[in-house]
Amino acid sequence: MNDILERDTKKRSVSNFYQDVIKGLNSQPKHLESKYFYDDRGDELFQQIMAMPEYYLTDCELEIFKTRCTEMHSTFSVFPDGFDLIELGAGDAMKSSHLLSCLLNNNVKFTYYPIDISGHVIDLLETELPKKFPQLEVKGLQGEYFQMLQKASTFSERPKVLLVLGSNIGNMPPDDAGLFCESLRKYLIPGDLALIGFDLKKDPQTILNAYNDPAGITSEFNLNLLKRINRELHANFDVGQFTHYQTYDPQSGACKSFLISSQDQDVIIADHGPIHFRKNEYIFMEISQKYDLGDLDKFAGQSGFKTVNNLFDSKNWFVDTIWEA
Ligand code: AVI
């Protein structure tokens, strides 16, 4: 990216961030968007969350990718002339690397298109993956999921296999997740496949513990967004005056995080007049929705997919569902 374009993109993203924060904190109830958790420190804290013993999601999905790639491969063998493997939010591609390795070992013809919002992530994948897999065809796409999905479609007319891993879909309220599935379907043609990771309902205490760790890393992860707002939007949150509070409702499957104001206080964000927080008033920070298989079949049906296979970890805590368009 050239310097002027980079500065322009940065300016636009700061202004979106500012507008979203102001809108969220002037709403009733107050809320912030969890997509803003991931600045450099947020990325670091999320790595620590994934390594916590209580945060089972990563281990469960990794187990699926370590043990079930042969089944994925045989499902994808409906495309003998090859396909495009497109991963939305590829990150470090730790899980998908197991699939890449299995497909390459079986001489499957495919091109891997990792999509990520972070240019740094894409640069890293494009340099590191060919070292690990010299025969891999990889083309990274940096940007918003759907824009990049559109772009990927201009490169080839081969069938598509989409990967949406990590229960990222759980960070959308269920209605939005349904709309997201509908949008995915619109970028595919009949016969294309999507493999999507969903975290499942289970012992409520196990779920709550994953988001309410005694070491306080999840709390720090939430509070870090207030620090980011202070730094990037010139605000004056007294971060010590907010406490992380986590809930899980076994009926709806909604696991939600909040920051609670410990006292009556005013916060100034840049030139925006004071935003008042009442004592015990909350900011809704994030939803991590848990599902059962019935919910997933409903999503599939409503968005025009049919379920081809469900791959579970050995505890049946997480599923990578494979849908056909
Ligand atoms: C990224 N996402 C799937 C995580 C989750 O489980 O909802 C984010 C997270 N928030 C707190 N812990 C992990």
Side-chain angles (χ1 to χ4, degrees), residues 37-38 46 49 55 57 166-168 171 210-211 218 221 286-288 290:
F37 281 176
Y38 303 91
F46 187 54
I49 286 175
Y55 192 76
L57 288 82
S167 183
N168 286 330
N171 296 132
Y211 294 87
T218 312
F221 184 56
E286 183 177 51
I287 184 165
S288 298
K290 311 304 169 194

Side-chain angles (χ1 to χ4, degrees), residues 18-37:
Y18 175 79
Q19 278 161 17
D20 288 343
V21 166
I22 294 296
K23 187 164 168 236
L25 295 182
N26 279 317
S27 302
Q28 238 7 283
K30 291 182 169 60
H31 60 268
L32 290 170
E33 292 184 36
S34 63
K35 68 176 180 190
Y36 292 119
F37 281 176

